[in-house]
């Protein structure tokens, strides 16, 4: 059982990161410069007129690296403060819409509609059942040829000890191995590209990117 001091520390830190201002500062400090731009250009690969669904969009940090000629961006997040921050920050981009609710078959009713679904830093917070529903929903709303892009910390063999330790302290309690994430994806997608990254943060860390094509 956790002692009160440890529990209080975790709650306090989580509370701080729930504030969009401090979350934005923390993310900017810990991430390597240009990492988000690289993720967008090399893995998301947006194109003119594309429609993007961002599950767990947070404050919409990815938008700064998206081209201005995309067709539609729909960001969903359960944190009301994040959504309010995103709406104010990106109010000049008419193609951006933000929703403070979960993504499911009931909230997203359009089938074969989106060119891309983003789930950045989401899967390691979800149970297998919840993650399965995410893949199922993504498959339903994607156009044929559309892609679901996931981005999560991961356990691998011969991992840097500090990266493994840091990942073990993550707020998400469902960090998986590469095979663990792959097994979730292959329930609905057979065309996948995986990439393991070790240089996304200023500290040793390990990220798995998966691009699942419908």
């Amino acid at each position: 059982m956790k002692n009160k001091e440890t529990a209080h520390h975790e709650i306090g830190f989580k509370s701080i990161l729930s504030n969009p201002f401090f979350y934005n500062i923390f993310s900017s400090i810990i991430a390597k410069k240009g990492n988000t731009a690289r993720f967008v250009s090399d893995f998301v690969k947006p194109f003119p007129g594309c429609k993007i669904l961002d599950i767990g969009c947070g404050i919409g940090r990815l938008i700064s690296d998206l081209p201005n000629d995309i067709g539609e961006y729909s960001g969903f997040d359960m944190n009301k403060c994040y959504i309010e921050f995103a709406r104010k920050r990106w109010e000049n981009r008419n193609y951006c819409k933000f929703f403070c609710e979960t993504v499911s078959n009931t909230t997203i009713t359009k089938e074969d509609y989106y060119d891309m679904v983003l789930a950045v830093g989401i899967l390691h917070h979800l149970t297998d059942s919840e993650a399965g529903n995410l893949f199922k929903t993504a498959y339903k709303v994607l156009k044929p040829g559309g892609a679901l892009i996931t981005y999560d910390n991961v356990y691998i063999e011969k991992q840097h000890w500090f990266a493994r330790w840091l990942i073990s302290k993550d707020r998400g309690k469902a960090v998986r191995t590469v095979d663990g994430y792959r097994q979730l994806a292959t329930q609905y997608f057979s065309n996948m590209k995986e990439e393991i990254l070790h240089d996304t943060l200023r500290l040793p860390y390990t990220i798995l990117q998966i691009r699942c094509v419908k």
Side-chain angles (χ1 to χ4, degrees), residues 52-205:
I52 299 174
L53 169 62
D54 193 351
I55 301 175
C57 65
I59 59 176
R61 293 185 74 238
L62 287 177
I63 296 173
S64 60
D65 292 295
L66 292 174
N68 288 323
D69 58 358
I70 67 172
E72 181 181 321
Y73 173 95
S74 299
F76 283 74
D77 202 283
M78 287 296 292
N79 187 313
K80 183 179 179 180
C81 293
Y82 285 174
I83 292 298
E84 290 177 352
F85 184 92
R87 284 172 177 164
K88 291 179 181 179
R89 183 177 183 182
W90 306 111
E91 61 183 354
N92 63 326
R93 303 205 181 188
N94 297 329
Y95 57 80
C96 292
K97 298 178 181 179
F98 297 94
F99 306 89
C100 187
E101 55 186 290
T102 60
V103 170
S104 66
N105 289 326
T106 56
T107 56
I108 305 294
T109 57
K110 298 176 180 178
E111 297 187 21
D112 303 330
Y113 180 78
Y114 290 99
D115 298 287
M116 298 169 196
V117 175
L118 309 180
V120 179
I122 301 301
L123 293 179
H124 70 280
H125 289 278
L126 304 180
T127 65
D128 285 355
S129 176
E130 292 168 336
N133 286 334
L134 185 150
F135 280 101
K136 179 180 180 180
T137 299
Y139 189 86
K140 184 190 80 170
V141 302
L142 281 169
K143 297 177 181 178
L148 164 66
I149 297 98
T150 70
Y151 181 101
D152 287 274
N153 45 21
V154 62
Y155 290 123
I156 61 173
E157 294 183 3
K158 299 180 180 179
Q159 190 167 24
H160 191 289
W161 70 267
F162 187 79
R164 179 171 286 268
W165 177 84
L166 193 58
I167 289 171
S168 72
K169 304 302 178 183
D170 193 280
R171 289 182 293 166
K173 301 306 177 184
V175 180
R176 299 168 172 89
T177 63
V178 175
D179 283 341
Y181 288 114
R182 186 184 295 136
Q183 288 173 14
L184 292 171
T186 53
Q187 295 180 62
Y188 295 95
F189 295 88
S190 58
N191 184 358
M192 298 186 301
K193 174 186 176 183
E194 302 168 358
E195 185 174 355
I196 297 176
L197 303 176
H198 302 279
D199 59 350
T200 59
L201 303 184
R202 301 179 191 275
L203 304 169
Y205 211 64

